[in-house]
């Protein structure tokens, strides 16, 4: 079975979708001849022609606005925002029009379109090239929000997103583009709204999504050496969110840590922690904890390792879940390092 990268799986998903439906069109900055900054659209223009995969001007609001018009006309546009923070000029289109058109027209007009966004950090990028903006989209009713953590999910979820009758924001973890999985395409995995238990455990639950899933898996393996048997749940889609799988896991283990790269304040992790607390209160042995990026603008590459949650911070959180032998741990030294020693 061949080893397939996430970037290749995404490329194949786009290739198969274009081949299967004459209405699917792919466009964005440098997605044509160049094949995209991360080569996800590599070869599509030469295979299908420039009317099916083409470059646009550097105008994100225009790209999304153009997609709205094409979706209204019966196409299934798939647009690429070159980097996550580049999508912010298009937020007005996304929030005011993409998300609201079905409701505004009482279902008479739907927008079957996908907004692909290279997502989060871990590649040594600079401001606007590495961000974690999932909370903006998840907070906006009318959007589905998806983020795969494996090549098989990347293929399967992107095909489902393109087939969906409503708009989908598809967040692709940049640092996972070149991770590989033994896989034969096409792949079919669980659909939207279905979380997956990636590792079974009995003592605590780690809830993670997208780029944080490999960190959660590594943390669970490290926790085992400390005597903690930790379960890892990959949420896969943030909207819709699989309350059933995540709460069943927490009720079974009695302890929960939510892991995300984005800053903690008002983030998706806060929503997840609240829902777990409300639904699992009588099963909990300890408060639900969060491990996240710090509440600062995305740092320069040399400070990225401090900002992004790693195994040590996850293990610190697990250790604070009110075990009988819990050590006294804190994140304060790391926060001080990020602030140049002044925090």
């Amino acid at each position: 079975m061949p080893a397939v990268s996430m970037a290749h799986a995404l490329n194949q998903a786009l290739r198969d979708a274009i081949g299967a439906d004459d209405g699917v069109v792919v466009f964005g900055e440098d997605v044509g001849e160049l094949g995209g900054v991360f080569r996800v659209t590599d070869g599509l223009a030469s295979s299908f022609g420039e009317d099916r995969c083409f470059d646009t001007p550097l105008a994100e609001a225009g790209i999304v606005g153009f997609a709205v018009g094409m979706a209204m006309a019966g196409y299934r546009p798939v647009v690429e925002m070159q980097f996550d923070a580049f999508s912010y000029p298009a937020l007005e289109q996304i929030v005011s029009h993409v998300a609201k058109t079905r409701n505004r027209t009482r279902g008479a007009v739907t927008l079957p379109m996908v907004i692909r966004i290279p997502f989060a950090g871990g590649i040594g990028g600079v401001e606007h090239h590495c961000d974690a903006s999932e909370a903006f989209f998840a907070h906006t009713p009318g959007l589905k929000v998806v983020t795969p953590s494996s090549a098989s999910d990347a293929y399967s979820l992107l095909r489902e997103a393109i087939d969906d009758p409503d708009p989908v924001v598809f967040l692709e973890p940049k640092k996972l583009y070149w991770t590989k999985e033994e896989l034969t395409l096409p792949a079919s995995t669980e659909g939207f709204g279905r979380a997956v238990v990636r590792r079974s455990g009995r003592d605590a639950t780690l809830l993670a999504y997208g780029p944080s899933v490999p960190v959660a898996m590594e943390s669970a393996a490290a926790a085992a050496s400390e005597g903690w048997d930790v379960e890892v749940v990959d949420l896969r889609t943030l909207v819709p969110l699989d309350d059933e799988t995540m709460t069943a896991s927490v009720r079974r283990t009695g302890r929960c840590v939510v892991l995300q790269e984005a800053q903690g304040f008002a983030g998706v992790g806060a929503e997840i922690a609240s829902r777990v607390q409300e639904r699992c209160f009588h099963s909990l042995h300890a408060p639900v904890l969060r491990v996240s990026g710090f509440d600062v603008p995305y740092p320069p590459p040399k400070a990225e390792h401090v900002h992004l949650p790693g195994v040590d911070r996850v293990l610190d959180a697990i250790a604070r879940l009110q075990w009988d032998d819990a050590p006294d741990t804190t994140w304060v030294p790391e926060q001080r390092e990020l602030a140049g020693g002044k925090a």
Side-chain angles (χ1 to χ4, degrees), residues 83 121-130 174 298-302 304:
F83 288 92
I123 62 167
V126 296
E127 186 180 22
H128 284 86
H129 292 71
C130 285
K174 290 192 286 283
Y298 201 87
K302 287 186 178 179
E304 189 179 50

Side-chain angles (χ1 to χ4, degrees), residues 94-316:
I94 296 171
V95 173
S96 296
H97 304 292
V98 174
K100 291 183 171 61
T101 295
R102 173 187 277 275
N103 186 266
R104 181 181 297 147
T105 62
R106 298 183 180 180
V109 178
T110 60
L111 295 181
M113 57 183 286
V114 179
I115 303 172
R116 294 182 40 246
I117 303 178
F119 165 63
I123 62 167
V126 296
E127 186 180 22
H128 284 86
H129 292 71
C130 285
D131 212 344
S133 49
E134 67 269 31
F136 295 140
F137 306 112
H139 186 68
T140 303
L143 302 175
K144 293 184 175 74
V145 182
V146 179
T147 178
S149 67
S150 67
S152 53
D153 264 359
Y155 180 92
S156 181
L157 292 174
L158 183 54
R159 290 299 305 273
E160 183 174 352
I162 294 171
D163 289 340
D164 198 279
D166 291 306
V168 178
V169 176
F170 199 88
L171 302 172
E172 301 167 1
K174 290 192 286 283
K175 71 179 181 182
L176 302 184
Y177 271 139
W178 308 114
T179 58
K180 293 185 176 180
E181 174 185 351
E182 291 189 355
L183 175 67
T184 300
L185 297 175
S188 179
T189 62
E190 294 79 1
F192 286 2
R194 294 290 302 278
V196 172
V197 176
R198 298 294 184 197
R199 175 192 173 106
S200 297
R202 65 176 184 278
D203 296 333
T205 297
L206 261 175
L207 299 176
Y209 54 89
S212 294
V213 173
V215 179
M217 293 295 288
E218 188 178 353
S219 300
S225 65
E226 302 290 334
W228 296 310
D229 189 11
V230 176
E231 184 154 296
V232 175
V233 177
D234 179 356
L235 298 174
R236 303 174 71 250
T237 63
L238 302 180
V239 183
L241 185 64
D242 186 354
D243 286 300
E244 182 179 352
T245 298
M246 68 182 192
T247 55
S249 174
V250 176
R251 289 190 183 111
R252 189 166 55 249
T253 64
R255 294 176 170 86
C256 178
V257 175
V258 185
L259 175 60
Q260 67 177 33
E261 276 196 25
Q263 59 269 35
F265 184 79
V268 169
E271 171 66 22
I272 293 169
S274 176
R275 294 165 84 97
V276 170
Q277 199 97 341
E278 290 171 354
R279 290 160 173 76
C280 305
F281 181 78
H282 295 290
S283 301
L284 289 171
H285 304 309
V288 179
L289 300 181
R290 286 175 290 155
V291 180
S292 69
F294 298 118
D295 293 327
V296 298
Y298 201 87
K302 287 186 178 179
E304 189 179 50
H305 71 287
V306 180
H307 178 67
L308 297 178
V311 171
D312 288 346
R313 283 166 61 188
V314 177
L315 291 179
D316 282 349

